[in-house]
Amino acid sequence: EVQLLESGGGLVQPGGSLRLSCAASGFTFSTYAMSWVRQAPGRGLEWVSTISGSGGSTSYADSVKGRFTISRDNSKNTLYLQMNSLRADDTAVYFCAKGSTSSAWVFDHWGQGTLVTVSS
Amino acid sequence: DIQMTQSPSSVSASVGDRVTITCRASQGISSWLAWYQQKPGKAPNLLIYAASSLQSGVPSRFSGSGSGTDFTLTISSLQPEDFATYFCQQANSFPFTFGPGTKVDIK
């Protein structure tokens, strides 16, 4: 059974940093692209970033480019999102999501999410 | 960026009803469209990919159709567990945008 478990969310001041983690199990982690998708309170879904299975290719939404860094450790089956220069509009639940076999950008399994609140 | 719109934004329906949700892309995306269901406080769940392919484990009352810019999700006979919000997502090009969602609630 595929399981994705995020951690690392919390309250941070504007301009601060936070590192999210997503522990994966139940599939061959290094084979699949992984992504972060966020959802502001009461709002829709926003794709944030994707990393290839090898980690050699990454992509970002314009809203986070230059501030967020996605990475993975395939030896630990873990996905990361380093978030710097956080702003109030980064407040959201952050989901990690597994790319499907048909497309890296169709998400066939999701974690339960971790809440990031940016506020002074 | 490709903009995704959905209609209606909400629909009230009864158990057993047929429900159709429409998703439109601002430019052609071939069949690179997925549908997700999300219940309050939960993560989204993939229902349909490639516009019309049913994800493993998803009940056959869900179906998808369309290509290019216009797509539909149909629930043939609404069940109590189907009351949720439904999102479409284009997987054609960066950034991979989602529609604003359609809330299906109880009439």
Side-chain angles (χ1 to χ4, degrees):
Chain A
E1 179 192 4
V2 172
Q3 292 193 333
L4 300 170
L5 184 61
E6 301 96 336
S7 60
L11 175 64
V12 61
Q13 293 188 336
S17 298
L18 214 53
R19 188 199 201 200
L20 305 184
S21 299
C22 172
S25 62
F27 64 103
T28 306
F29 183 67
S30 61
T31 301
Y32 293 93
M34 296 293 295
S35 297
W36 290 96
V37 178
R38 68 184 180 183
Q39 187 170 36
R43 304 294 297 274
L45 298 162
E46 180 186 16
W47 169 78
V48 173
S49 182
T50 296
I51 187 168
S52 63
S54 67
S57 177
T58 59
S59 54
Y60 298 91
D62 284 346
S63 57
V64 307
K65 198 174 295 182
R67 300 187 299 123
F68 290 11
T69 301
I70 191 171
S71 62
R72 64 192 297 161
D73 185 337
N74 286 344
S75 69
K76 295 182 178 179
N77 288 355
T78 302
L79 175 72
Y80 303 100
L81 186 68
Q82 177 67 43
M83 303 186 296
N84 299 331
S85 303
L86 282 161
R87 311 185 302 220
D89 62 359
D90 294 318
T91 294
V93 174
Y94 285 74
F95 296 100
C96 71
K98 171 185 166 293
S100 71
T101 52
S102 65
S103 168
W105 302 286
V106 173
F107 311 121
D108 62 2
H109 290 86
W110 298 61
Q112 85 291 346
T114 187
L115 177 62
V116 172
T117 303
V118 184
S119 175
S120 55
Chain B
D1 296 3
I2 297 175
Q3 308 302 317
M4 306 299 293
T5 57
Q6 289 182 233
S7 60
S9 57
S10 66
V11 57
S12 294
S14 301
V15 172
D17 284 353
R18 181 182 183 90
V19 173
T20 299
I21 299 168
T22 297
C23 176
R24 178 164 289 174
S26 61
Q27 58 187 268
I29 58 171
S30 186
S31 295
W32 293 106
L33 186 98
W35 288 97
Y36 300 87
Q37 176 194 68
Q38 187 179 34
K39 297 180 180 179
K42 301 295 186 181
N45 180 48
L46 177 65
L47 301 175
I48 300 286
Y49 64 95
S52 61
S53 296
L54 191 68
Q55 173 68 2
S56 175
V58 174
S60 59
R61 63 181 179 272
F62 291 94
S63 64
S65 65
S67 67
T69 60
D70 295 314
F71 302 87
T72 59
L73 173 71
T74 299
I75 309 172
S76 61
S77 178
L78 199 66
Q79 298 302 300
E81 59 269 30
D82 301 337
F83 292 97
T85 300
Y86 294 84
F87 296 94
C88 61
Q89 178 226 343
Q90 63 87 11
N92 182 74
S93 60
F94 294 99
F96 301 104
T97 41
F98 291 83
T102 295
K103 185 176 182 181
V104 178
D105 59 22
I106 301 171
K107 194 175 206 176

